[in-house]
Amino acid sequence: MKEFNFERLIAWQKARVLSKEMYLLTHDFPKEELYAITSQIRRSAVSIACNLAEGSSRLHPKYAALFY
């Protein structure tokens, strides 16, 4: 299986761990919070890894800096 460049980034690896931890942590939140704070926490944690992956594909350093 092909490995992408961003998968070697320590920050991306830690962001993946953070995402998993946030999903596990918010699993026990009250159901009435599912579409409020639970969703926001999960999306923000996933966003870190996504931004790092997207930024690593930018060829120009000025564009890459927007994501790091």
Side-chain angles (χ1 to χ4, degrees), residues 9-30:
L9 295 173
I10 294 171
W12 183 82
Q13 294 169 8
K14 289 184 177 189
R16 289 283 313 262
V17 171
L18 176 67
S19 294
K20 184 174 183 176
E21 289 176 1
M22 291 299 103
Y23 268 82
L24 293 173
L25 176 73
T26 57
H27 181 266
D28 295 329
F29 278 20

Side-chain angles (χ1 to χ4, degrees), residues 24-52:
L24 293 173
L25 176 73
T26 57
H27 181 266
D28 295 329
F29 278 20
K31 293 300 175 195
E32 59 268 10
E33 293 296 333
L34 183 61
Y35 299 105
I37 193 72
T38 303
S39 176
Q40 188 173 0
I41 291 171
R42 289 176 175 181
R43 286 183 292 117
S44 65
V46 170
S47 177
I48 297 168
C50 290
N51 285 338
L52 288 166

